[in-house]
Amino acid sequence: MGKTLKEVKLGIIGFGFMGHEHMNMLASKVPGICVKAVCDTNENQLKDVPEGVHVYSDADDLLKDTEVNTVIISVPNRLHPEMVKKACDAGKDIICEKPAALSVALFDEMMEEVKKAGIHFTVHQQRRLDPDFRTAKNVYDQNLVGKVYTVQSTLYGINGNMHDWHVYKSEGGGMLYDWGVHLLDQLLFMIKSPVKTVYADVRNVINKEVDDYFKIELYFENGVVGEAELGTYFLADRPKWFERHWFIGGDKGSAYSDGFDPEGKVARTTRLLTNVPGTITMSASGPTRSFGPPQPGVLVTEELPKASTEHKMFWENYYKAVNGEEEFLVRPEEVRRVLCLMDAVRKSGETHQTVDFE
Ligand SMILES: NC(=O)c1ccc[n+]([C@@H]2O[C@H](COP(=O)([O-])OP(=O)(O)OC[C@H]3O[C@@H](n4cnc5c(N)ncnc54)[C@H](O)[C@@H]3O)[C@@H](O)[C@H]2O)c1
């Protein structure tokens, strides 16, 4: 007879955009996990709670609910540490939204509480499962472009002005704390090498208090430069523009993809290192030998090694991990490393200097 696995009976603390997403993801879709309760201080958010789910307006009351053994904390960023502490005191297992804390120091305090309480703790850095990222990671892991020198990860949008608490620094607003966590986490998860130095340009282009543009360069010990660029005010009328893009350059080829559902190719040349002078092409800006279009037969392409991962796998892993059947997809020491990197990024952004890292 197989062993009986512990069911995850979840309480969602903060039932806004992401709280609703958790409910939609979990409503009877992941075996072993069910939502028992939700809580939000704004009653307007609680109008569409499915029948049978307990509703609270105060997190303390949800945490007293004996039918709940686990909480997902999806309140605004500033409130994560105090909610984690309360949940630890109540002995509940915790999944915290990213960024777990606004600094490494706050995260370390949080982890002290977690250790004392002896509970399970992970962070919802589920974009490790994004298909565009996993496809790029497949290119990297399968060595499809030779020795990699650059990995460029970009995300562009047009809605530059942010909303609600996301516009306030004190609340943990801004894009670095928003998508920045994911973009850095992905690069660290893909390029398994220490980061020697970091350079970052972090700006408030149209927002008053918080950053809405950043470009971060990570110089890894293995020679790869990882680049993450995000712009919320990149106005353009081009297909697939407001989505994810990847470019991976190696000494045997390149790989590129556009979109959350990635479209692209792995490209190689038939003329690598053959000593043939480039054909002169006349461009609108004069003649060029190196930057004209490829001659027929010179460029060969193949399909991207597409990944079919999805965010539901975060929860499937969570259920197995609390039952000791798998390792947690996102471990506290990995969360801490991303937060250390965020500290370095902010320092570089403020000083316009390269910052030594690991
Ligand atoms: N992992 C991801 O991909 C992802 C995506 C979006 C947001 N997030 C994270 O989710 C969290 C919430 O972001 P959001 O965009 O859903 O914000 P949101 O404003 O839409 O939702 C937050 C909710 O928390 C409620 N709230 C505030 N204080 C509370 C309290 N003391 N007790 C209970 N409820 C309270 C608010 O009323 C609101 O409904 C943030 O940490 C954010 O970084 C993660």
Side-chain angles (χ1 to χ4, degrees):
M1 218 168 68
K3 81 168 181 179
T4 314
L5 301 183
K6 172 181 157 179
E7 204 186 345
V8 174
K9 298 172 188 168
L10 199 69
I12 302 176
I13 301 181
F15 200 50
F17 168 73
M18 210 50 200
H20 277 79
E21 171 58 20
H22 294 312
M23 177 67 88
N24 294 337
M25 175 71 71
L26 292 169
S28 63
K29 287 183 202 138
V30 180
I33 304 187
C34 63
V35 179
K36 286 283 176 192
V38 302
C39 160
D40 202 292
T41 44
N42 177 353
E43 63 182 26
N44 289 327
Q45 298 283 25
L46 297 167
K47 287 185 175 150
D48 55 355
V49 178
E51 216 170 301
V53 174
H54 309 169
V55 179
Y56 300 99
S57 57
D58 188 327
D60 292 338
D61 293 332
L62 181 144
L63 289 166
K64 284 184 202 138
D65 189 328
T66 51
E67 284 190 43
V68 171
N69 61 14
T70 308
V71 291
I72 171 122
I73 295 172
S74 46
V75 289
N77 295 341
R78 177 181 62 85
L79 299 172
H80 292 175
E82 75 175 69
M83 288 297 171
V84 166
K85 179 164 183 353
K86 281 174 193 272
C88 284
D89 290 345
K92 312 286 186 192
D93 288 337
I94 300 172
I95 302 126
C96 185
E97 262 306 342
K98 49 56 44 181
L102 298 180
S103 70
V104 181
L106 284 170
F107 182 71
D108 287 346
E109 284 173 24
M110 193 183 257
M111 290 317 294
E112 283 299 311
E113 299 292 336
V114 166
K115 222 164 40 193
K116 261 196 286 171
I119 50 131
H120 292 295
F121 176 88
T122 188
V123 176
H124 192 234
Q125 288 172 201
Q126 86 291 9
R127 291 203 175 277
R128 287 184 184 190
L129 293 161
D130 284 4
D132 64 84
F133 164 62
R134 283 298 177 123
T135 300
K137 187 172 181 312
N138 283 347
V139 170
Y140 188 87
D141 291 346
Q142 294 169 21
N143 205 19
L144 296 185
V145 295
K147 190 167 168 39
V148 172
Y149 60 94
T150 180
V151 176
Q152 296 167 16
S153 159
T154 51
L155 174 62
Y156 304 136
I158 57 163
N159 296 312
N161 52 328
M162 281 175 245
H163 55 89
D164 304 323
W165 60 270
H166 294 275
V167 298
Y168 301 114
K169 211 172 171 175
S170 59
E171 296 296 309
M175 274 294 143
L176 199 53
Y177 281 129
D178 194 326
W179 267 87
V181 181
H182 292 303
L183 301 190
L184 294 176
D185 185 44
Q186 289 176 342
L187 287 173
L188 294 186
F189 193 61
M190 181 192 303
I191 305 161
K192 304 225 178 284
S193 172
V195 177
K196 300 310 290 175
T197 54
V198 178
Y199 182 78
D201 179 19
V202 183
R203 291 171 192 253
N204 314 353
V205 176
I206 63 169
N207 285 269
K208 287 201 179 82
E209 278 196 29
V210 294
D211 64 278
D212 47 20
Y213 171 84
F214 58 77
K215 183 165 181 165
I216 300 165
E217 289 169 12
L218 308 179
Y219 294 84
F220 287 88
E221 193 173 78
N222 67 358
V224 178
V225 180
E227 217 178 283
E229 184 183 46
L230 175 148
T232 60
Y233 191 56
F234 268 39
L235 308 182
D237 188 9
R238 281 159 61 171
K240 292 246 178 201
W241 181 245
F242 316 114
E243 295 194 26
R244 294 286 277 125
H245 307 273
W246 289 90
F247 180 84
I248 303 183
D251 64 1
K252 301 265 188 308
S254 309
Y256 53 93
S257 83
D258 297 316
F260 290 112
D261 182 10
E263 284 174 22
K265 287 277 192 292
V266 177
R268 292 181 231 285
T269 171
T270 53
R271 241 173 48 177
L272 187 68
L273 292 184
T274 49
N275 193 2
V276 184
T279 314
I280 299 172
T281 14
M282 187 54 78
S283 77
S285 305
T288 175
R289 281 178 301 183
S290 302
F291 297 99
Q295 299 304 309
V298 164
L299 206 59
V300 280
T301 60
E302 55 189 63
E303 295 305 315
L304 287 169
K306 267 207 178 189
S308 54
T309 42
E310 51 179 336
H311 291 171
K312 203 171 105 174
M313 291 173 173
F314 176 89
W315 293 100
E316 289 166 347
N317 163 263
Y318 182 79
Y319 177 58
K320 288 190 179 143
V322 284
N323 281 293
E325 299 206 319
E326 274 181 14
E327 206 179 339
F328 281 98
L329 173 69
V330 182
R331 289 176 288 125
E333 59 271 27
E334 297 172 318
V335 172
R336 189 176 192 280
R337 187 170 177 231
V338 175
L339 293 175
C340 287
L341 187 54
M342 302 264 295
D343 282 1
V345 164
R346 279 197 303 277
K347 188 170 167 198
S348 176
E350 281 158 19
T351 59
H352 307 290
Q353 302 286 324
T354 298
V355 172
D356 287 338
F357 191 54
E358 291 169 321

